[in-house]
Amino acid sequence: MSRILSQTKSAAVNPLKSSQPLGAALAFLGVEGAMPLFHGSQGCTSFALVLLVRHFKEAIPLQTTAMDEVTTILGGADNLEEAILNIKARTKPKLIGVCTTALVETRGEDTAGDVADIRLKRAQDLPGTEIVLANTPDFEGAIEEGWAKAVSAMIERLTRPGEQVRQSKKIAILPGWNLTVADIEHLRDMIENFGLEPVILPDVSGSLDGTVPERWVTTTYGGTSVEGIRELGTAQYCIAIGEHMRRSAEVLRKVTGVPYVLFQSLTGLKSTDRFVSLLSAISGEHVPAGVRRRRAQLQDALLDGHFHFGGKKIAIAAEPDQLYQLATFFIGMGCEIAAAVTTTDMSKILEKVPAQSVQIGDLGDLETLGASADLLVTHSHGRQAAERLGIPLMRVGFPVFDRLGSQHKPTILYQGTRDLVFEVANIFQANRQAPTREEFCPLGKRETSDGSRPPPLSRP
């Protein structure tokens, strides 16, 4: 079990984490016809919007209640009501996801009561629009907790409660925030290969997949439908991916009785085998030939790639579940985790990270602890540390803004693990340094008893 080292610095040096409201907004963006709404100042919303736009390279629908100095003192209920009514009138969303920020959370506003009053008082003005509240203060947690809170809030608010008639082929999927668009598309294809019908919440592969709609859409133009969320109770099973999705799966089980299975990671041969075996058991079908072929391709990639991984030192900075996902992948390939840095100590998965210790910190800690590493693994803000240390950087997580196509890189199941092996092995090959003369021939540095060096080795 790894030791969890608390943050001791009073300020972040090159911050690693993104805030809870941003994580909640990202989850709401995976719902069709949704509009995330930050309840706070314009600055909080603008900063999150910039990060989302730079990462996805897409137009991101995101609104704010625009609280100022007066409303901060007197209360922001009127701003919240006005913002909801304006959004309804202008964009006609199917769902408004309210994400609280540190401003209203520190003040101690009863946002849940305010939202309830708005629903009751303005019912005639809000037909066809659901309002879901996620309490996500900036001063604790990170993007991982914000995502999970938004998913739990949508289930609690929208899913029809009580035991319902189950559809034997229907599977509810609750993916973690760290699954890319390509991951979710690949996950859906894998499940459908077994004749099953997945309902994925949230489904960013439908709304942030880089397509151009035929007409201008003011809200999200794809993702999980509100009606699909309501009918989650008709699923036969629920599969949650990532420790931070455990609470959402438990909420679904509490509301509807749907049993769940949790996978802490779907990267790697062993965990993917477990997942495929589960799908086979649920569907009653044999593993399709195409899936078996992809497994064989991964086995070959592991054989080809392990020469480049053995003994390499890896320094990783990521959210807890992504840290676990990547660390277990590198350990499985024969690497050593030289440094493990994460954003928050709120996740139990940190105890299972295969490293001697996990530092709660920032990218300054990664630069200090990973100075002797062969590879840095974090998001784009780690590029300065990589340049200073002269160590190659593998970009993962959020945000990745200085490379194109990060959302279309698979990282899970057989195909995603295979592509990870190739990507990392290619980084190692591209940055391989030729040995010096002394490293190649250590005997050449030895001195004789009279202080002279021996003659160079030569063929007889």
Side-chain angles (χ1 to χ4, degrees):
M1 185 174 70
S2 59
R3 295 182 297 119
I4 313 301
L5 305 179
S6 301
Q7 175 64 276
T8 57
K9 295 186 294 187
S10 57
V13 179
N14 196 1
L16 169 63
K17 72 176 182 179
S18 297
S19 66
Q20 276 202 84
L22 191 151
L26 184 56
F28 288 128
L29 289 171
V31 177
E32 183 182 11
M35 177 65 73
L37 172 64
F38 273 28
H39 189 18
S41 67
Q42 286 182 317
C44 297
T45 310
S46 298
F47 187 70
L49 183 60
V50 167
L51 287 176
L52 289 167
V53 170
R54 294 184 75 189
H55 179 79
F56 289 103
K57 309 293 191 295
E58 304 293 335
I60 302 294
L62 187 63
Q63 293 294 333
T64 178
T65 57
M67 291 179 63
D68 55 19
E69 295 88 343
V70 174
T71 54
T72 300
I73 295 172
L74 299 180
D78 292 340
N79 280 50
L80 179 60
E81 180 178 346
E82 183 179 358
I84 289 174
L85 293 177
N86 284 339
I87 292 171
K88 173 62 178 177
R90 295 180 181 181
T91 67
K92 297 177 175 57
K94 298 177 182 177
L95 182 144
I96 298 175
V98 180
C99 315
T100 60
T101 63
L103 187 62
V104 295
E105 292 283 352
T106 304
R107 189 181 182 278
E109 292 195 23
D110 180 17
T111 310
D114 294 339
V115 170
D117 289 342
I118 293 170
R119 289 196 193 105
L120 182 63
K121 185 172 61 174
R122 295 290 190 172
Q124 294 182 346
D125 299 316
L126 298 170
T129 298
E130 295 284 354
I131 305 173
V132 177
L133 168 66
N135 290 102
T136 51
D138 306 67
F139 49 75
E140 66 178 17
I143 191 172
E144 189 172 279
E145 287 78 20
W147 171 283
K149 286 183 178 180
V151 175
S152 299
M154 284 188 279
I155 295 172
E156 289 176 330
R157 172 64 189 169
L158 302 178
T159 302
R160 188 173 289 111
E163 294 278 350
Q164 300 166 47
V165 177
R166 305 281 174 77
Q167 299 179 24
S168 60
K169 297 295 184 180
K170 185 175 179 180
I171 305 294
I173 305 295
L174 305 180
W177 79 274
N178 52 308
L179 269 63
T180 65
V181 166
D183 285 334
I184 293 179
E185 289 178 343
H186 186 32
L187 188 64
R188 179 186 293 104
D189 291 342
M190 174 70 81
I191 295 169
E192 290 177 346
N193 280 336
F194 287 85
L196 300 172
E197 302 171 7
V199 178
I200 302 173
L201 176 68
D203 185 3
V204 295
S205 73
S207 57
L208 296 171
D209 59 341
T211 57
V212 180
E214 296 180 355
R215 59 184 178 82
W216 173 249
V217 182
T218 53
T219 61
T220 55
Y221 54 86
T224 315
S225 67
V226 172
E227 188 60 29
I229 303 174
R230 286 200 181 98
E231 299 300 325
L232 284 177
T234 61
Q236 187 71 14
Y237 290 96
C238 170
I239 299 176
I241 304 166
E243 183 64 35
H244 63 293
M245 299 308 293
R246 183 184 295 275
R247 182 177 180 274
S248 300
E250 290 177 345
V251 169
L252 181 60
R253 183 177 63 178
K254 180 180 178 181
V255 172
T256 66
V258 174
Y260 76 89
V261 177
L262 178 75
F263 286 84
Q264 292 170 334
S265 172
L266 286 181
T267 299
L269 184 63
K270 187 175 181 179
S271 59
T272 305
D273 282 348
R274 286 182 54 235
F275 181 73
V276 169
S277 297
L278 176 64
L279 295 182
S280 180
I282 293 174
S283 65
E285 300 288 341
H286 294 294
V287 178
V291 175
R292 294 198 302 269
R293 181 171 179 80
R294 283 194 289 271
R295 185 181 191 277
Q297 290 173 343
L298 172 57
Q299 287 178 305
D300 184 68
L302 294 173
L303 289 171
D304 295 342
H306 82 277
F307 298 101
H308 305 284
F309 284 78
K312 292 290 196 300
K313 296 180 179 179
I314 312 298
I316 309 173
E319 296 279 338
D321 270 307
Q322 189 169 48
L323 175 64
Y324 174 80
Q325 172 196 16
L326 295 169
T328 52
F329 164 75
F330 281 109
I331 288 292
M333 293 298 297
C335 298
E336 173 189 343
I337 306 302
V341 182
T342 193
T343 57
T344 172
D345 60 358
M346 299 175 68
S347 177
K348 294 181 180 180
I349 198 65
L350 295 178
E351 298 176 356
K352 297 183 179 181
V353 172
Q356 291 185 348
S357 62
V358 176
Q359 175 68 57
I360 311 301
D362 51 34
L363 293 175
D365 295 311
L366 178 70
E367 186 171 351
T368 301
L369 298 173
S372 63
D374 297 296
L375 179 67
L376 297 187
V377 182
T378 189
H379 52 61
S380 290
H381 289 301
R383 67 195 188 283
Q384 297 97 336
E387 291 171 1
R388 285 190 288 266
L389 295 174
I391 299 173
L393 172 66
M394 176 183 174
R395 291 163 172 82
V396 299
F398 180 92
V400 176
F401 50 77
D402 57 344
R403 294 291 185 274
L404 287 176
S406 62
Q407 281 303 304
H408 296 281
K409 290 167 53 178
T411 64
I412 64 169
L413 303 178
Y414 298 129
Q415 180 178 331
T417 305
R418 182 200 66 183
D419 290 356
L420 272 181
V421 171
F422 291 156
E423 180 183 2
V424 177
N426 287 334
I427 292 175
F428 285 144
Q429 290 189 87
N431 292 275
R432 184 170 53 192
Q433 296 180 353
T436 63
R437 180 178 179 181
E438 289 76 13
E439 291 173 335
F440 186 75
C441 184
L443 295 178
K445 298 177 65 177
R446 187 183 62 185
E447 294 186 356
T448 61
S449 58
D450 61 358
S452 63
R453 292 198 171 192
L457 296 176
S458 60
R459 290 187 176 183

